[in-house]
Amino acid sequence: MPFYKKSFNKQQGVYYPRAIVQGKPVETETIAKDLSKISTVSNSDVQAVLGDISGVMHTRMSQGKSVHIKGLGYFRYVLDTKGVKDVKDFNFSKQVQAVRVEFIPERTRMSNGTYSRALVESDELEWIELSPDTEDQDPAPGGDDDRPVIE
């Protein structure tokens, strides 16, 4: 069951629900154990493959490809950039502010014409409201910039 808090947007003057991450992240070892329980692959084999996946994905994305993991979604490199008014001032290295990885969940077309996204079974999610005085936890290293928050 995921958690949310009521957040106030000062600029728009409205309240909106904000997803909250609680506790420490689930680490690779735990995911590997869970996967080994539902498959015929051993925990150590799963960990070995998961341990190498980021390097393989980087290699393929650095070749200009997107990576599709069936049942999960698509990954690709995207750029955070600043623009220039005149093409003469165009300078790739000065305009690129960051390289990010974009993730687009896999989607499946439903019989009613709508789409269902991988990892999001909204009809199965029961959201629990946290009280305003519950402290937000920052489980990811590097501060708020790295924390996955869905808004």
Side-chain angles (χ1 to χ4, degrees):
M1 65 191 109
F3 300 97
Y4 74 94
K5 275 188 178 182
K6 294 175 187 163
S7 292
F8 184 70
N9 181 312
K10 292 178 185 176
Q11 290 179 330
Q12 296 178 2
V14 296
Y15 287 91
Y16 61 94
R18 182 173 61 98
I20 301 294
V21 175
Q22 288 291 294
K24 295 180 180 178
V26 176
E27 296 294 339
T28 306
E29 295 79 10
T30 304
I31 296 294
K33 286 177 188 174
D34 291 349
L35 287 170
S36 69
K37 288 177 188 175
I38 61 170
S39 70
T40 60
V41 182
S42 73
N43 178 30
S44 57
D45 289 340
V46 174
Q47 284 194 48
V49 171
L50 290 176
D52 291 336
I53 197 167
S54 65
V56 171
M57 289 175 67
H58 164 71
T59 298
R60 294 301 184 164
M61 290 187 298
S62 68
Q63 295 169 346
K65 303 284 187 181
S66 65
V67 174
H68 175 218
I69 298 180
K70 189 175 183 177
L72 187 60
Y74 297 82
F75 298 81
R76 69 181 185 131
Y77 285 139
V78 294
L79 301 173
D80 286 340
T81 61
K82 58 183 178 181
V84 292
K85 292 183 179 184
D86 192 331
V87 72
K88 294 176 194 169
D89 297 326
F90 187 91
N91 183 319
F92 180 84
S93 60
K94 288 183 180 178
Q95 289 177 251
V96 173
Q97 297 175 313
V99 178
R100 295 182 296 109
V101 175
E102 179 181 66
F103 167 66
I104 301 170
E106 180 109 4
R107 68 182 193 167
T108 306
R109 189 171 179 95
M110 308 300 282
S111 59
N112 64 2
T114 63
Y115 288 94
S116 172
R117 293 268 183 192
L119 307 176
V120 182
E121 298 290 337
S122 59
D123 57 333
E124 295 179 16
L125 293 177
E126 179 185 342
W127 289 87
I128 307 297
E129 182 179 1
L130 295 177
S131 69
D133 51 330
T134 303
E135 287 191 34
D136 289 358
Q137 298 178 15
D138 186 4
D144 287 344
D145 293 340
D146 293 335
R147 185 170 70 186
V149 174
I150 302 169
E151 293 185 354

